[in-house]
Amino acid sequence: FYLNLFKTLKKKIINNKEYRVFFLKGLFSSEGHVKHSVYGTIESIGFSFNPKTEKSLSEFVKRCLDLEKIKSKIDHERGYLYFCGYGNMLRL
């Protein structure tokens, strides 16, 4: 159900800033995680995905982050999309 809904709404999410922001907030609130440094500060914010079946999802999320001027990286081998930096975290 959710996969079909996502496929249907994908273009609307990319083209509408408000939808894009809500999509990213929901995704990182439910599926994202925060990595802390040994000093207790936030080191990075990330999102894990299945690299065999969810590569297109990770590319879509990266594109959404790029449109919001949040610089992110994808590790396709480990199935991990993440970003660092105080400015990027504030934008999210």
Side-chain angles (χ1 to χ4, degrees):
F1 173 77
Y2 289 112
L3 186 57
N4 288 333
L5 181 63
F6 175 69
K7 287 178 182 179
T8 303
L9 297 175
K10 214 171 173 180
K11 289 181 184 176
K12 290 184 180 191
I13 292 169
I14 279 291
N15 295 323
N16 184 308
K17 180 178 177 62
E18 186 177 10
Y19 294 168
R20 194 169 52 245
V21 168
F22 288 135
F23 170 76
L24 290 170
K25 283 182 180 182
L27 178 74
F28 280 95
S29 292
S30 63
E31 298 294 329
H33 56 275
V34 176
K35 181 179 178 186
H36 290 89
S37 72
V38 294
Y39 304 107
T41 59
I42 297 174
E43 189 173 294
S44 66
I45 297 176
F47 163 71
S48 296
F49 62 93
N50 183 331
K52 293 180 181 177
T53 61
E54 297 179 324
K55 184 178 178 182
S56 63
L57 172 63
S58 68
E59 296 290 341
F60 178 77
V61 172
K62 181 166 180 23
R63 186 166 175 219
C64 288
L65 290 169
D66 289 345
L67 289 169
E68 295 305 316
K69 297 181 174 72
I70 298 173
K71 296 176 186 173
S72 60
K73 297 178 183 178
I74 299 177
D75 182 341
H76 288 289
E77 283 186 23
R78 291 180 24 214
Y80 189 61
L81 178 146
Y82 65 99
F83 58 90
C84 308
Y86 185 69
N88 287 328
M89 292 179 200
L90 285 178
R91 283 185 207 80
L92 183 67

PDB file of all heavy atoms in Angstrom, residues 41-62:
ATOM      1  N   THR A  41      27.930  15.220  21.407  1.00  0.00           N
ATOM      2  CA  THR A  41      27.366  16.116  20.399  1.00  0.00           C
ATOM      3  C   THR A  41      26.894  15.304  19.193  1.00  0.00           C
ATOM      4  O   THR A  41      27.328  14.174  18.992  1.00  0.00           O
ATOM      5  CB  THR A  41      28.402  17.162  19.941  1.00  0.00           C
ATOM      6  OG1 THR A  41      29.539  16.474  19.409  1.00  0.00           O
ATOM      7  CG2 THR A  41      28.845  18.038  21.098  1.00  0.00           C
ATOM      8  N   ILE A  42      26.032  15.901  18.404  1.00  0.00           N
ATOM      9  CA  ILE A  42      25.526  15.201  17.221  1.00  0.00           C
ATOM     10  C   ILE A  42      26.614  15.186  16.154  1.00  0.00           C
ATOM     11  O   ILE A  42      27.128  16.229  15.769  1.00  0.00           O
ATOM     12  CB  ILE A  42      24.258  15.879  16.679  1.00  0.00           C
ATOM     13  CG1 ILE A  42      23.143  15.803  17.720  1.00  0.00           C
ATOM     14  CG2 ILE A  42      23.811  15.225  15.376  1.00  0.00           C
ATOM     15  CD1 ILE A  42      21.895  16.568  17.335  1.00  0.00           C
ATOM     16  N   GLU A  43      26.946  14.010  15.689  1.00  0.00           N
ATOM     17  CA  GLU A  43      27.973  13.844  14.669  1.00  0.00           C
ATOM     18  C   GLU A  43      27.371  13.790  13.269  1.00  0.00           C
ATOM     19  O   GLU A  43      27.886  14.377  12.332  1.00  0.00           O
ATOM     20  CB  GLU A  43      28.762  12.570  14.953  1.00  0.00           C
ATOM     21  CG  GLU A  43      29.985  12.395  14.102  1.00  0.00           C
ATOM     22  CD  GLU A  43      30.804  11.200  14.564  1.00  0.00           C
ATOM     23  OE1 GLU A  43      31.331  11.257  15.692  1.00  0.00           O
ATOM     24  OE2 GLU A  43      30.890  10.226  13.801  1.00  0.00           O
ATOM     25  N   SER A  44      26.264  13.049  13.124  1.00  0.00           N
ATOM     26  CA  SER A  44      25.601  12.956  11.825  1.00  0.00           C
ATOM     27  C   SER A  44      24.164  12.496  12.018  1.00  0.00           C
ATOM     28  O   SER A  44      23.789  11.972  13.055  1.00  0.00           O
ATOM     29  CB  SER A  44      26.343  11.987  10.903  1.00  0.00           C
ATOM     30  OG  SER A  44      26.257  10.669  11.395  1.00  0.00           O
ATOM     31  N   ILE A  45      23.383  12.713  10.964  1.00  0.00           N
ATOM     32  CA  ILE A  45      22.012  12.230  10.915  1.00  0.00           C
ATOM     33  C   ILE A  45      21.934  11.328   9.695  1.00  0.00           C
ATOM     34  O   ILE A  45      22.431  11.684   8.626  1.00  0.00           O
ATOM     35  CB  ILE A  45      21.009  13.385  10.818  1.00  0.00           C
ATOM     36  CG1 ILE A  45      21.089  14.254  12.078  1.00  0.00           C
ATOM     37  CG2 ILE A  45      19.592  12.861  10.610  1.00  0.00           C
ATOM     38  CD1 ILE A  45      20.212  15.487  12.042  1.00  0.00           C
ATOM     39  N   GLY A  46      21.332  10.156   9.841  1.00  0.00           N
ATOM     40  CA  GLY A  46      21.335   9.198   8.746  1.00  0.00           C
ATOM     41  C   GLY A  46      20.031   8.461   8.574  1.00  0.00           C
ATOM     42  O   GLY A  46      19.104   8.575   9.385  1.00  0.00           O
ATOM     43  N   PHE A  47      20.011   7.699   7.517  1.00  0.00           N
ATOM     44  CA  PHE A  47      18.851   6.901   7.143  1.00  0.00           C
ATOM     45  C   PHE A  47      19.378   5.618   6.520  1.00  0.00           C
ATOM     46  O   PHE A  47      20.155   5.658   5.570  1.00  0.00           O
ATOM     47  CB  PHE A  47      18.003   7.711   6.152  1.00  0.00           C
ATOM     48  CG  PHE A  47      17.009   6.920   5.369  1.00  0.00           C
ATOM     49  CD1 PHE A  47      15.877   6.402   5.971  1.00  0.00           C
ATOM     50  CD2 PHE A  47      17.181   6.700   4.017  1.00  0.00           C
ATOM     51  CE1 PHE A  47      14.952   5.680   5.239  1.00  0.00           C
ATOM     52  CE2 PHE A  47      16.261   5.989   3.280  1.00  0.00           C
ATOM     53  CZ  PHE A  47      15.151   5.482   3.905  1.00  0.00           C
ATOM     54  N   SER A  48      18.980   4.479   7.058  1.00  0.00           N
ATOM     55  CA  SER A  48      19.406   3.183   6.518  1.00  0.00           C
ATOM     56  C   SER A  48      18.373   2.668   5.529  1.00  0.00           C
ATOM     57  O   SER A  48      17.180   2.897   5.694  1.00  0.00           O
ATOM     58  CB  SER A  48      19.581   2.163   7.638  1.00  0.00           C
ATOM     59  OG  SER A  48      20.614   2.562   8.495  1.00  0.00           O
ATOM     60  N   PHE A  49      18.872   1.978   4.515  1.00  0.00           N
ATOM     61  CA  PHE A  49      17.988   1.402   3.505  1.00  0.00           C
ATOM     62  C   PHE A  49      18.577   0.101   3.008  1.00  0.00           C
ATOM     63  O   PHE A  49      19.756  -0.174   3.216  1.00  0.00           O
ATOM     64  CB  PHE A  49      17.771   2.385   2.340  1.00  0.00           C
ATOM     65  CG  PHE A  49      19.037   2.745   1.600  1.00  0.00           C
ATOM     66  CD1 PHE A  49      19.426   2.032   0.478  1.00  0.00           C
ATOM     67  CD2 PHE A  49      19.841   3.790   2.029  1.00  0.00           C
ATOM     68  CE1 PHE A  49      20.601   2.361  -0.205  1.00  0.00           C
ATOM     69  CE2 PHE A  49      21.005   4.124   1.352  1.00  0.00           C
ATOM     70  CZ  PHE A  49      21.381   3.409   0.239  1.00  0.00           C
ATOM     71  N   ASN A  50      17.747  -0.704   2.359  1.00  0.00           N
ATOM     72  CA  ASN A  50      18.208  -1.961   1.788  1.00  0.00           C
ATOM     73  C   ASN A  50      18.880  -1.639   0.449  1.00  0.00           C
ATOM     74  O   ASN A  50      18.205  -1.212  -0.487  1.00  0.00           O
ATOM     75  CB  ASN A  50      17.029  -2.907   1.569  1.00  0.00           C
ATOM     76  CG  ASN A  50      17.445  -4.255   1.053  1.00  0.00           C
ATOM     77  OD1 ASN A  50      18.451  -4.394   0.359  1.00  0.00           O
ATOM     78  ND2 ASN A  50      16.657  -5.269   1.377  1.00  0.00           N
ATOM     79  N   PRO A  51      20.202  -1.833   0.332  1.00  0.00           N
ATOM     80  CA  PRO A  51      20.895  -1.454  -0.896  1.00  0.00           C
ATOM     81  C   PRO A  51      20.496  -2.280  -2.119  1.00  0.00           C
ATOM     82  O   PRO A  51      20.717  -1.856  -3.246  1.00  0.00           O
ATOM     83  CB  PRO A  51      22.374  -1.656  -0.556  1.00  0.00           C
ATOM     84  CG  PRO A  51      22.397  -2.598   0.588  1.00  0.00           C
ATOM     85  CD  PRO A  51      21.117  -2.392   1.335  1.00  0.00           C
ATOM     86  N   LYS A  52      19.880  -3.427  -1.912  1.00  0.00           N
ATOM     87  CA  LYS A  52      19.466  -4.265  -3.042  1.00  0.00           C
ATOM     88  C   LYS A  52      18.109  -3.852  -3.608  1.00  0.00           C
ATOM     89  O   LYS A  52      17.889  -3.932  -4.807  1.00  0.00           O
ATOM     90  CB  LYS A  52      19.418  -5.734  -2.623  1.00  0.00           C
ATOM     91  CG  LYS A  52      20.787  -6.296  -2.313  1.00  0.00           C
ATOM     92  CD  LYS A  52      20.700  -7.735  -1.915  1.00  0.00           C
ATOM     93  CE  LYS A  52      22.094  -8.251  -1.580  1.00  0.00           C
ATOM     94  NZ  LYS A  52      22.074  -9.633  -1.114  1.00  0.00           N
ATOM     95  N   THR A  53      17.218  -3.390  -2.745  1.00  0.00           N
ATOM     96  CA  THR A  53      15.853  -3.113  -3.202  1.00  0.00           C
ATOM     97  C   THR A  53      15.436  -1.652  -3.082  1.00  0.00           C
ATOM     98  O   THR A  53      14.430  -1.266  -3.672  1.00  0.00           O
ATOM     99  CB  THR A  53      14.842  -3.963  -2.420  1.00  0.00           C
ATOM    100  OG1 THR A  53      14.932  -3.635  -1.027  1.00  0.00           O
ATOM    101  CG2 THR A  53      15.095  -5.444  -2.625  1.00  0.00           C
ATOM    102  N   GLU A  54      16.181  -0.847  -2.340  1.00  0.00           N
ATOM    103  CA  GLU A  54      15.749   0.526  -2.087  1.00  0.00           C
ATOM    104  C   GLU A  54      16.734   1.583  -2.580  1.00  0.00           C
ATOM    105  O   GLU A  54      16.758   2.700  -2.075  1.00  0.00           O
ATOM    106  CB  GLU A  54      15.480   0.724  -0.596  1.00  0.00           C
ATOM    107  CG  GLU A  54      14.359  -0.138  -0.078  1.00  0.00           C
ATOM    108  CD  GLU A  54      14.112   0.039   1.400  1.00  0.00           C
ATOM    109  OE1 GLU A  54      15.064   0.228   2.174  1.00  0.00           O
ATOM    110  OE2 GLU A  54      12.925  -0.024   1.779  1.00  0.00           O
ATOM    111  N   LYS A  55      17.518   1.247  -3.590  1.00  0.00           N
ATOM    112  CA  LYS A  55      18.476   2.205  -4.137  1.00  0.00           C
ATOM    113  C   LYS A  55      17.755   3.432  -4.704  1.00  0.00           C
ATOM    114  O   LYS A  55      18.177   4.560  -4.479  1.00  0.00           O
ATOM    115  CB  LYS A  55      19.332   1.547  -5.218  1.00  0.00           C
ATOM    116  CG  LYS A  55      20.395   2.458  -5.761  1.00  0.00           C
ATOM    117  CD  LYS A  55      21.260   1.763  -6.788  1.00  0.00           C
ATOM    118  CE  LYS A  55      22.276   2.744  -7.338  1.00  0.00           C
ATOM    119  NZ  LYS A  55      23.112   2.151  -8.366  1.00  0.00           N
ATOM    120  N   SER A  56      16.658   3.224  -5.416  1.00  0.00           N
ATOM    121  CA  SER A  56      15.936   4.358  -5.998  1.00  0.00           C
ATOM    122  C   SER A  56      15.339   5.244  -4.903  1.00  0.00           C
ATOM    123  O   SER A  56      15.285   6.467  -5.048  1.00  0.00           O
ATOM    124  CB  SER A  56      14.856   3.892  -6.962  1.00  0.00           C
ATOM    125  OG  SER A  56      13.886   3.126  -6.292  1.00  0.00           O
ATOM    126  N   LEU A  57      14.918   4.642  -3.799  1.00  0.00           N
ATOM    127  CA  LEU A  57      14.416   5.436  -2.675  1.00  0.00           C
ATOM    128  C   LEU A  57      15.522   6.317  -2.107  1.00  0.00           C
ATOM    129  O   LEU A  57      15.310   7.500  -1.845  1.00  0.00           O
ATOM    130  CB  LEU A  57      13.846   4.536  -1.575  1.00  0.00           C
ATOM    131  CG  LEU A  57      13.457   5.239  -0.277  1.00  0.00           C
ATOM    132  CD1 LEU A  57      12.330   6.234  -0.513  1.00  0.00           C
ATOM    133  CD2 LEU A  57      13.055   4.227   0.784  1.00  0.00           C
ATOM    134  N   SER A  58      16.722   5.752  -1.937  1.00  0.00           N
ATOM    135  CA  SER A  58      17.823   6.537  -1.390  1.00  0.00           C
ATOM    136  C   SER A  58      18.191   7.691  -2.322  1.00  0.00           C
ATOM    137  O   SER A  58      18.483   8.801  -1.869  1.00  0.00           O
ATOM    138  CB  SER A  58      19.042   5.655  -1.109  1.00  0.00           C
ATOM    139  OG  SER A  58      19.613   5.182  -2.317  1.00  0.00           O
ATOM    140  N   GLU A  59      18.168   7.451  -3.622  1.00  0.00           N
ATOM    141  CA  GLU A  59      18.458   8.516  -4.595  1.00  0.00           C
ATOM    142  C   GLU A  59      17.380   9.597  -4.545  1.00  0.00           C
ATOM    143  O   GLU A  59      17.680  10.790  -4.665  1.00  0.00           O
ATOM    144  CB  GLU A  59      18.562   7.936  -6.008  1.00  0.00           C
ATOM    145  CG  GLU A  59      19.708   6.961  -6.212  1.00  0.00           C
ATOM    146  CD  GLU A  59      21.075   7.617  -6.181  1.00  0.00           C
ATOM    147  OE1 GLU A  59      21.160   8.841  -6.351  1.00  0.00           O
ATOM    148  OE2 GLU A  59      22.061   6.878  -5.977  1.00  0.00           O
ATOM    149  N   PHE A  60      16.141   9.191  -4.355  1.00  0.00           N
ATOM    150  CA  PHE A  60      15.046  10.152  -4.243  1.00  0.00           C
ATOM    151  C   PHE A  60      15.212  11.014  -2.993  1.00  0.00           C
ATOM    152  O   PHE A  60      15.053  12.235  -3.043  1.00  0.00           O
ATOM    153  CB  PHE A  60      13.700   9.426  -4.216  1.00  0.00           C
ATOM    154  CG  PHE A  60      12.529  10.343  -4.065  1.00  0.00           C
ATOM    155  CD1 PHE A  60      12.067  11.071  -5.144  1.00  0.00           C
ATOM    156  CD2 PHE A  60      11.904  10.486  -2.837  1.00  0.00           C
ATOM    157  CE1 PHE A  60      10.987  11.934  -5.005  1.00  0.00           C
ATOM    158  CE2 PHE A  60      10.833  11.342  -2.686  1.00  0.00           C
ATOM    159  CZ  PHE A  60      10.372  12.071  -3.774  1.00  0.00           C
ATOM    160  N   VAL A  61      15.531  10.392  -1.870  1.00  0.00           N
ATOM    161  CA  VAL A  61      15.731  11.137  -0.623  1.00  0.00           C
ATOM    162  C   VAL A  61      16.899  12.101  -0.781  1.00  0.00           C
ATOM    163  O   VAL A  61      16.814  13.261  -0.363  1.00  0.00           O
ATOM    164  CB  VAL A  61      15.956  10.177   0.567  1.00  0.00           C
ATOM    165  CG1 VAL A  61      16.351  10.939   1.823  1.00  0.00           C
ATOM    166  CG2 VAL A  61      14.712   9.335   0.812  1.00  0.00           C
ATOM    167  N   LYS A  62      17.986  11.661  -1.411  1.00  0.00           N
ATOM    168  CA  LYS A  62      19.133  12.543  -1.642  1.00  0.00           C
ATOM    169  C   LYS A  62      18.733  13.733  -2.503  1.00  0.00           C
ATOM    170  O   LYS A  62      19.120  14.863  -2.237  1.00  0.00           O
ATOM    171  CB  LYS A  62      20.284  11.787  -2.290  1.00  0.00           C
ATOM    172  CG  LYS A  62      21.505  12.687  -2.531  1.00  0.00           C
ATOM    173  CD  LYS A  62      22.725  11.908  -2.838  1.00  0.00           C
ATOM    174  CE  LYS A  62      23.961  12.730  -3.090  1.00  0.00           C
ATOM    175  NZ  LYS A  62      24.013  14.064  -2.553  1.00  0.00           N
TER     176      LYS A  62
END
